[in-house]
C-alpha cells in the first residue's frame, strides 16, 4: 500500500488521530524519501490512543536525535562525531507511558532502518533489534496491529537482525 493511501486509511480509524501537515518543515538532509513524504502529508499520527499499545509517530518537531531526546541533560556536543552510531538514530515513534521508543537510522550504511529503542535497552549491542527496513514498513506494521501487542515483540516476528550487525547494503 502506498504511504498516502495508508495515511488516508488511518484517518478513518476512530481510535487514531492524524495531525495536519505544517507548511514549512526542516528535516535533516539525509531524511529518507518516504519519511519526507509522510511529513508533507501530516505532522505525526497518534495510533490507537485508547489501547494498551498506543503509539505516536512523532511530529517533525520531535524528529531529533533520539539520544538527545532520551538523555537531555547529558553534556554532549552533538556537532562532534564520536563514532557512536546511535548518535545518528532519530526518534520516530514513542509511547512514554511504557518507555517504548522507536528510532530511525540516518547513517548511510543502515539508511532508514527502524530500531526498538526501549528505554532500558536503547543502543545496547545485541539488544537493539531492527524492527522495520524503512519508515513505511514500520507504519504499515503498527497499523496492521490495531493497537494490540507490538508486532516486533510477538513470538512469530521474524528477526531482521540487530542495529549493530554488519550492514546489508
Amino acid at each position: 500500500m502506498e504511504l498516502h493511501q495508508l495515511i488516508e486509511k488511518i484517518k478513518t480509524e476512530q481510535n487514531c488521530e492524524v495531525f495536519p501537515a505544517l507548511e514549512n518543515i526542516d528535516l535533516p538532509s539525509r531524511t529518507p524519501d518516504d519519511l519526507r513524504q509522510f511529513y508533507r502529508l501530516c505532522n505525526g499520527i497518534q495510533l490507537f490512543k485508547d489501547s494498551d499499545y498506543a503509539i505516536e509517530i512523532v511530529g517533525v518537531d520531535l524528529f531529533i536525535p533520539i539520544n538527545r531526546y532520551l538523555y537531555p541533560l547529558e553534556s554532549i556536543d552533538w556537532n562532534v562525531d564520536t563514532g557512536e552510531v546511535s548518535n545518528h538514530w532519530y526518534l520516530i515513534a514513542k509511547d512514554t507511558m511504557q518507555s517504548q521508543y522507536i528510532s530511525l537510522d540516518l547513517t548511510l550504511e543502515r539508511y532508514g532502518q527502524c530500531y526498538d529503542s526501549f528505554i532500558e535497552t536503547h543502543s545496547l549491542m545485541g539488544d537493539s533489534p531492527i524492527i522495520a527496513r524503512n519508515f513505511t514498513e514500520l507504519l504499515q506494521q503498527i497499523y496492521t496491529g490495531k493497537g494490540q501487542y507490538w508486532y516486533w515483540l510477538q513470538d512469530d516476528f521474524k528477526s531482521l537482525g540487530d542495529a549493530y550487525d554488519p550492514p546489508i547494503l
Side-chain angles (χ1 to χ4, degrees):
M1 180 182 305
E2 296 288 326
L3 186 59
H4 70 281
Q5 294 169 316
L6 179 56
I7 292 170
E8 288 303 314
K9 196 169 189 175
I10 293 170
K11 284 180 181 179
T12 67
E13 295 281 341
Q14 290 182 341
N15 205 13
C16 296
E17 184 176 358
V18 177
F19 302 106
L22 302 176
E23 286 196 29
N24 297 314
I25 57 172
D26 185 26
L27 294 168
S29 60
R30 290 194 317 225
T31 302
D33 290 341
D34 63 341
L35 190 55
R36 282 187 185 282
Q37 180 185 10
F38 174 80
Y39 284 126
R40 282 193 296 269
L41 296 169
C42 66
N43 190 37
I45 299 175
Q46 180 65 52
L47 291 151
F48 310 106
K49 53 188 170 191
D50 296 326
S51 75
D52 289 339
Y53 293 93
I55 197 156
E56 177 186 353
I57 305 298
V58 299
V60 70
D61 60 319
L62 284 180
F63 184 65
I64 60 173
I66 194 166
N67 289 341
R68 185 181 303 172
Y69 181 85
L70 295 177
Y71 315 112
L73 301 179
E74 300 273 333
S75 57
I76 297 171
D77 183 352
W78 295 102
N79 297 315
V80 175
D81 188 358
T82 63
E84 171 52 45
V85 296
S86 68
N87 287 341
H88 301 280
W89 300 355
Y90 278 61
L91 177 65
I92 193 60
K94 66 186 180 94
D95 175 8
T96 53
M97 294 296 289
Q98 295 194 48
S99 301
Q100 179 62 59
Y101 302 92
I102 299 173
S103 53
L104 186 138
D105 197 328
L106 292 186
T107 63
L108 293 176
E109 300 83 10
R110 295 167 178 85
Y111 189 62
Q113 288 184 166
C114 300
Y115 310 128
D116 180 346
S117 286
F118 181 66
I119 191 71
E120 293 180 18
T121 59
H122 167 68
S123 78
L124 293 178
M125 187 179 296
D127 230 347
S128 296
I130 302 166
I131 62 171
R133 292 174 198 89
N134 57 57
F135 173 73
T136 302
E137 180 180 329
L138 173 73
L139 184 58
Q140 175 70 52
Q141 292 288 348
I142 292 173
Y143 175 70
T144 300
K146 302 284 186 186
Q148 300 301 307
Y149 194 53
W150 289 309
Y151 74 92
W152 63 92
L153 299 177
Q154 294 178 11
D155 291 337
D156 63 349
F157 178 69
K158 184 172 169 41
S159 174
L160 300 171
D162 188 79
Y164 290 91
D165 290 347
I168 301 171
L169 299 176

mmCIF file of all heavy atoms in Angstrom, residues 63-83:
data_model
loop_
_atom_site.group_PDB
_atom_site.id
_atom_site.type_symbol
_atom_site.label_atom_id
_atom_site.label_comp_id
_atom_site.label_asym_id
_atom_site.label_seq_id
_atom_site.Cartn_x
_atom_site.Cartn_y
_atom_site.Cartn_z
ATOM 1 N N PHE A 63 11.325 14.951 15.620
ATOM 2 C CA PHE A 63 12.215 14.115 14.810
ATOM 3 C C PHE A 63 13.630 14.657 14.994
ATOM 4 O O PHE A 63 14.156 15.427 14.198
ATOM 5 C CB PHE A 63 11.782 14.105 13.341
ATOM 6 C CG PHE A 63 12.610 13.185 12.490
ATOM 7 C CD1 PHE A 63 12.580 11.809 12.698
ATOM 8 C CD2 PHE A 63 13.428 13.686 11.484
ATOM 9 C CE1 PHE A 63 13.358 10.959 11.923
ATOM 10 C CE2 PHE A 63 14.199 12.836 10.702
ATOM 11 C CZ PHE A 63 14.170 11.477 10.925
ATOM 12 N N ILE A 64 14.211 14.253 16.125
ATOM 13 C CA ILE A 64 15.524 14.727 16.559
ATOM 14 C C ILE A 64 16.354 13.505 16.946
ATOM 15 O O ILE A 64 15.811 12.415 17.109
ATOM 16 C CB ILE A 64 15.408 15.698 17.759
ATOM 17 C CG1 ILE A 64 14.747 14.999 18.950
ATOM 18 C CG2 ILE A 64 14.640 16.965 17.368
ATOM 19 C CD1 ILE A 64 14.733 15.817 20.238
ATOM 20 N N PRO A 65 17.671 13.679 17.112
ATOM 21 C CA PRO A 65 18.462 12.534 17.575
ATOM 22 C C PRO A 65 17.857 11.955 18.858
ATOM 23 O O PRO A 65 17.582 12.684 19.819
ATOM 24 C CB PRO A 65 19.844 13.133 17.815
ATOM 25 C CG PRO A 65 19.907 14.281 16.850
ATOM 26 C CD PRO A 65 18.510 14.858 16.862
ATOM 27 N N ILE A 66 17.631 10.654 18.848
ATOM 28 C CA ILE A 66 16.947 10.028 19.983
ATOM 29 C C ILE A 66 17.766 10.138 21.260
ATOM 30 O O ILE A 66 17.198 10.268 22.345
ATOM 31 C CB ILE A 66 16.543 8.571 19.673
ATOM 32 C CG1 ILE A 66 15.543 8.068 20.732
ATOM 33 C CG2 ILE A 66 17.752 7.681 19.512
ATOM 34 C CD1 ILE A 66 14.816 6.805 20.369
ATOM 35 N N ASN A 67 19.074 10.112 21.161
ATOM 36 C CA ASN A 67 19.893 10.263 22.367
ATOM 37 C C ASN A 67 19.669 11.636 23.005
ATOM 38 O O ASN A 67 19.643 11.771 24.224
ATOM 39 C CB ASN A 67 21.372 10.060 22.059
ATOM 40 C CG ASN A 67 21.692 8.612 21.765
ATOM 41 O OD1 ASN A 67 20.929 7.708 22.106
ATOM 42 N ND2 ASN A 67 22.817 8.372 21.105
ATOM 43 N N ARG A 68 19.488 12.652 22.184
ATOM 44 C CA ARG A 68 19.207 13.997 22.697
ATOM 45 C C ARG A 68 17.851 14.018 23.405
ATOM 46 O O ARG A 68 17.681 14.681 24.420
ATOM 47 C CB ARG A 68 19.217 15.011 21.555
ATOM 48 C CG ARG A 68 19.060 16.435 22.027
ATOM 49 C CD ARG A 68 19.042 17.427 20.897
ATOM 50 N NE ARG A 68 20.248 17.313 20.088
ATOM 51 C CZ ARG A 68 20.430 17.957 18.941
ATOM 52 N NH1 ARG A 68 19.491 18.734 18.454
ATOM 53 N NH2 ARG A 68 21.538 17.814 18.267
ATOM 54 N N TYR A 69 16.890 13.272 22.870
ATOM 55 C CA TYR A 69 15.562 13.203 23.477
ATOM 56 C C TYR A 69 15.580 12.410 24.782
ATOM 57 O O TYR A 69 15.019 12.835 25.788
ATOM 58 C CB TYR A 69 14.570 12.572 22.495
ATOM 59 C CG TYR A 69 13.163 12.477 23.042
ATOM 60 C CD1 TYR A 69 12.289 13.552 22.945
ATOM 61 C CD2 TYR A 69 12.721 11.317 23.670
ATOM 62 C CE1 TYR A 69 11.006 13.480 23.458
ATOM 63 C CE2 TYR A 69 11.430 11.232 24.190
ATOM 64 C CZ TYR A 69 10.588 12.313 24.085
ATOM 65 O OH TYR A 69 9.316 12.242 24.602
ATOM 66 N N LEU A 70 16.226 11.243 24.763
ATOM 67 C CA LEU A 70 16.223 10.372 25.945
ATOM 68 C C LEU A 70 17.143 10.863 27.056
ATOM 69 O O LEU A 70 16.883 10.613 28.232
ATOM 70 C CB LEU A 70 16.627 8.944 25.551
ATOM 71 C CG LEU A 70 15.679 8.197 24.625
ATOM 72 C CD1 LEU A 70 16.246 6.830 24.262
ATOM 73 C CD2 LEU A 70 14.293 8.061 25.242
ATOM 74 N N TYR A 71 18.217 11.536 26.701
ATOM 75 C CA TYR A 71 19.210 11.977 27.681
ATOM 76 C C TYR A 71 19.474 13.475 27.547
ATOM 77 O O TYR A 71 20.591 13.902 27.270
ATOM 78 C CB TYR A 71 20.516 11.195 27.497
ATOM 79 C CG TYR A 71 20.312 9.708 27.317
ATOM 80 C CD1 TYR A 71 20.591 9.086 26.102
ATOM 81 C CD2 TYR A 71 19.804 8.927 28.357
ATOM 82 C CE1 TYR A 71 20.383 7.724 25.938
ATOM 83 C CE2 TYR A 71 19.590 7.568 28.198
ATOM 84 C CZ TYR A 71 19.878 6.978 26.985
ATOM 85 O OH TYR A 71 19.673 5.640 26.819
ATOM 86 N N PRO A 72 18.466 14.299 27.779
ATOM 87 C CA PRO A 72 18.607 15.736 27.523
ATOM 88 C C PRO A 72 19.607 16.444 28.431
ATOM 89 O O PRO A 72 20.101 17.514 28.069
ATOM 90 C CB PRO A 72 17.188 16.277 27.751
ATOM 91 C CG PRO A 72 16.559 15.299 28.683
ATOM 92 C CD PRO A 72 17.152 13.963 28.317
ATOM 93 N N LEU A 73 19.933 15.873 29.560
ATOM 94 C CA LEU A 73 20.841 16.532 30.493
ATOM 95 C C LEU A 73 22.300 16.169 30.259
ATOM 96 O O LEU A 73 23.184 16.728 30.895
ATOM 97 C CB LEU A 73 20.442 16.207 31.935
ATOM 98 C CG LEU A 73 19.013 16.631 32.311
ATOM 99 C CD1 LEU A 73 18.704 16.238 33.747
ATOM 100 C CD2 LEU A 73 18.812 18.116 32.095
ATOM 101 N N GLU A 74 22.546 15.220 29.358
ATOM 102 C CA GLU A 74 23.931 14.836 29.043
ATOM 103 C C GLU A 74 24.632 16.017 28.368
ATOM 104 O O GLU A 74 24.057 16.698 27.526
ATOM 105 C CB GLU A 74 23.955 13.636 28.095
ATOM 106 C CG GLU A 74 23.281 12.403 28.649
ATOM 107 C CD GLU A 74 24.193 11.537 29.477
ATOM 108 O OE1 GLU A 74 25.403 11.565 29.248
ATOM 109 O OE2 GLU A 74 23.675 10.834 30.354
ATOM 110 N N SER A 75 25.866 16.248 28.741
ATOM 111 C CA SER A 75 26.618 17.342 28.118
ATOM 112 C C SER A 75 27.401 16.780 26.931
ATOM 113 O O SER A 75 28.556 16.408 27.033
ATOM 114 C CB SER A 75 27.546 18.005 29.131
ATOM 115 O OG SER A 75 28.407 17.047 29.691
ATOM 116 N N ILE A 76 26.710 16.696 25.804
ATOM 117 C CA ILE A 76 27.296 16.147 24.580
ATOM 118 C C ILE A 76 27.299 17.240 23.525
ATOM 119 O O ILE A 76 26.306 17.944 23.343
ATOM 120 C CB ILE A 76 26.475 14.937 24.076
ATOM 121 C CG1 ILE A 76 26.517 13.800 25.102
ATOM 122 C CG2 ILE A 76 26.958 14.461 22.718
ATOM 123 C CD1 ILE A 76 25.585 12.660 24.808
ATOM 124 N N ASP A 77 28.407 17.368 22.823
ATOM 125 C CA ASP A 77 28.444 18.278 21.683
ATOM 126 C C ASP A 77 27.917 17.501 20.486
ATOM 127 O O ASP A 77 28.613 16.651 19.930
ATOM 128 C CB ASP A 77 29.871 18.768 21.431
ATOM 129 C CG ASP A 77 29.946 19.781 20.302
ATOM 130 O OD1 ASP A 77 28.922 19.996 19.601
ATOM 131 O OD2 ASP A 77 31.026 20.366 20.117
ATOM 132 N N TRP A 78 26.671 17.761 20.111
ATOM 133 C CA TRP A 78 26.004 16.996 19.059
ATOM 134 C C TRP A 78 26.607 17.251 17.688
ATOM 135 O O TRP A 78 26.337 16.532 16.742
ATOM 136 C CB TRP A 78 24.509 17.301 19.063
ATOM 137 C CG TRP A 78 23.867 16.831 20.324
ATOM 138 C CD1 TRP A 78 23.502 17.599 21.393
ATOM 139 C CD2 TRP A 78 23.562 15.486 20.680
ATOM 140 N NE1 TRP A 78 22.993 16.805 22.384
ATOM 141 C CE2 TRP A 78 23.008 15.513 21.977
ATOM 142 C CE3 TRP A 78 23.711 14.262 20.035
ATOM 143 C CZ2 TRP A 78 22.599 14.360 22.631
ATOM 144 C CZ3 TRP A 78 23.290 13.119 20.691
ATOM 145 C CH2 TRP A 78 22.749 13.169 21.975
ATOM 146 N N ASN A 79 27.461 18.258 17.567
ATOM 147 C CA ASN A 79 28.093 18.559 16.281
ATOM 148 C C ASN A 79 29.398 17.803 16.079
ATOM 149 O O ASN A 79 29.987 17.859 15.016
ATOM 150 C CB ASN A 79 28.338 20.066 16.148
ATOM 151 C CG ASN A 79 27.030 20.827 16.166
ATOM 152 O OD1 ASN A 79 26.082 20.436 15.496
ATOM 153 N ND2 ASN A 79 26.987 21.902 16.930
ATOM 154 N N VAL A 80 29.853 17.090 17.110
ATOM 155 C CA VAL A 80 31.093 16.313 17.035
ATOM 156 C C VAL A 80 30.728 14.846 16.838
ATOM 157 O O VAL A 80 29.940 14.292 17.597
ATOM 158 C CB VAL A 80 31.937 16.499 18.316
ATOM 159 C CG1 VAL A 80 33.151 15.591 18.293
ATOM 160 C CG2 VAL A 80 32.338 17.946 18.480
ATOM 161 N N ASP A 81 31.300 14.221 15.821
ATOM 162 C CA ASP A 81 31.037 12.806 15.561
ATOM 163 C C ASP A 81 31.938 11.969 16.457
ATOM 164 O O ASP A 81 33.150 11.931 16.283
ATOM 165 C CB ASP A 81 31.271 12.471 14.101
ATOM 166 C CG ASP A 81 30.814 11.056 13.740
ATOM 167 O OD1 ASP A 81 30.354 10.332 14.642
ATOM 168 O OD2 ASP A 81 30.914 10.693 12.560
ATOM 169 N N THR A 82 31.325 11.307 17.434
ATOM 170 C CA THR A 82 32.076 10.494 18.398
ATOM 171 C C THR A 82 32.271 9.069 17.899
ATOM 172 O O THR A 82 32.941 8.282 18.549
ATOM 173 C CB THR A 82 31.338 10.443 19.752
ATOM 174 O OG1 THR A 82 30.074 9.794 19.553
ATOM 175 C CG2 THR A 82 31.142 11.831 20.330
ATOM 176 N N GLY A 83 31.644 8.719 16.803
ATOM 177 C CA GLY A 83 31.738 7.360 16.296
ATOM 178 C C GLY A 83 30.633 6.463 16.820
ATOM 179 O O GLY A 83 30.483 5.330 16.376
#
